[in-house]
Amino acid sequence: MNKTNQLLLACAASALLAQSALADIRTTNPKKVGMSKARLERIEPAMQAFVDEQKLAGTLTLVARKGKVVHVEGVGYRDREAKAPMSEDTIFRIYSMTKPITAVAALTLWEQGKFQMNDPVSKYLPELANLKVYAGMDGENMVLEDTSKVMTIKQLFTHTAGFSYGFTQSPVDKLYQQSALFSGQIKRQDLLKEVAKLPLNHQPGSKWNYSIGTDIIGILVERLSGQTLGAYFEQHIFEPLEMDDTGFYVPEDKQNRLAQIYVINQQGQTVPMENEPLGDYLSAPEIESGGGGLVSTIEDYYTFTQMLLNGGEYQGKRILGRKTVEYMRTNHLPTSLIPFEPSSTGEGYGLAMSVTVDEQGANTMGSAGDYGWAGAASTYFRIDPKEQMIVISMTQVMPSSYFSYNKDFKNIAYQALID
């Protein structure tokens, strides 16, 4: 048998296994949960158009309501150059969709009284005591000042602590770019020492700035539990929820299912990416990034989101208490910081996720109180407690949200509601 036939057989077998895996949670009649089958069928051609225009190599989308999956469908390829079709068992780098999982892990410790939200970060992570704050430039010299307020654990969850990510060309972000933080050479035990060398972007609590805060939450989980972040995830989230394909790297026997990652070229088309962020995900990383290090499948992430929608429980396995989840999905930003960034009108921020606070001001259909987040490679999810609804979309292209496919998908999912 030649390699082409072997690949086709492997893809067919993979798709069959994935269909079997979701068979127990899929309903054949969306009308039973108040959705229109005909209207849900609008999703496939809309996603196919992005593939046909070479904007995306492929997509995998899921819609669930009232605990039933009413739509799950792949179009295009998980690896366009290898002609490997998108299948329901495709493994994706979920990048910042790791953040809600890290938050849940930390909240299991919060429930046990291991820390309080207003505790100083330095109480548990003394390396981060006595940080300086950027206060402007004096010619070519950076002006620094002392913190005027104590940095709290809660500010790490809400990206208001003052840390950054190095995404812009601001003076602070340029220091992030030059630091060893993202070099891939730094040791786990030295991470906070490197963070402590950098000035804060702003005074704690004064602004929202997307940051390494959730990575620091991951280190907090390790310090309080005495386990690595991956081991804690496995014991307290992945194993109870049977999220068997979620982790910090892809084992060798599953690597054929890992989607190719793409980047946008100057013509606005997708081309395979080289030197992907955070490594190739094919071996265990030195640092398990709580802010963006996980891979997962759409089924695994659906299980995680359904647990949250259920108030912390899924199929008899309770991960969090109901009130903990309610706290997590509540806006924790003051009115002065809403929207947290200009493109997120109508949005506040909970713990590691955004939340709609103004339904009319939002950019997409939804409900007040719906919440979720996205990943750097354009993965996306949203949970709507009012409608008892979950939407998840997966692809692998950077930068995130360069194309409107997530917004299109969410709107099409919501227009299918009939009851």
Side-chain angles (χ1 to χ4, degrees), residues 281-294:
Y281 288 89
L282 301 181
S283 59
E286 169 65 26
I287 296 172
E288 295 174 332
S289 168
L294 289 176

Side-chain angles (χ1 to χ4, degrees), residues 50-58 76-86 259-263 265 269-272:
F50 284 99
V51 175
D52 293 343
E53 295 167 10
Q54 296 188 47
K55 293 178 177 178
L56 301 174
Y77 301 96
R78 68 164 173 257
D79 186 332
R80 184 179 57 206
E81 288 66 37
K83 301 299 182 185
M86 186 66 75
Q260 170 65 46
I261 188 167
Y262 295 85
V263 68
N265 66 13
Q269 297 179 328
T270 53
V271 294

Side-chain angles (χ1 to χ4, degrees), residues 121-133:
V121 172
S122 59
K123 178 179 179 179
Y124 307 99
L125 307 175
E127 299 95 327
L128 300 182
N130 305 314
L131 298 177
K132 297 296 184 179
V133 183

Side-chain angles (χ1 to χ4, degrees), residues 292-365:
L294 289 176
V295 296
S296 191
T297 61
I298 205 164
E299 180 183 5
D300 276 7
Y301 214 85
Y302 165 69
T303 299
F304 176 75
T305 54
Q306 190 66 58
M307 176 274 293
L308 291 176
L309 183 56
N310 291 349
E313 178 272 337
Y314 183 73
Q315 293 188 349
K317 304 292 180 62
R318 181 159 290 280
I319 308 300
L320 293 175
R322 176 176 63 85
K323 295 302 292 184
T324 310
V325 175
E326 290 177 4
Y327 186 86
M328 181 183 183
R329 62 179 176 83
T330 296
N331 169 57
H332 291 282
L333 295 183
T335 303
S336 61
L337 298 185
I338 298 172
F340 56 90
E341 57 184 6
S343 64
S344 300
T345 56
E347 298 278 316
Y349 207 82
L351 303 188
M353 299 179 292
S354 66
V355 55
T356 300
V357 295
D358 178 7
E359 188 175 348
Q360 274 114 19
N363 290 319
T364 58
M365 295 187 208

Side-chain angles (χ1 to χ4, degrees), residues 96-104 107 154-159 208 210 213-214 217 290-291 301 304 327-330 332 348-355 371-374 381:
S96 285
M97 278 168 53
T98 302
K99 288 178 169 66
I101 294 176
T102 301
V104 166
L107 290 172
K154 186 175 180 180
Q155 290 167 353
L156 294 177
F157 280 105
T158 59
H159 296 293
W208 187 95
Y210 202 38
T214 320
I217 288 286
Y301 214 85
F304 176 75
Y327 186 86
M328 181 183 183
R329 62 179 176 83
T330 296
H332 291 282
Y349 207 82
L351 303 188
M353 299 179 292
S354 66
V355 55
Y371 61 99
W373 201 235
F381 81 98

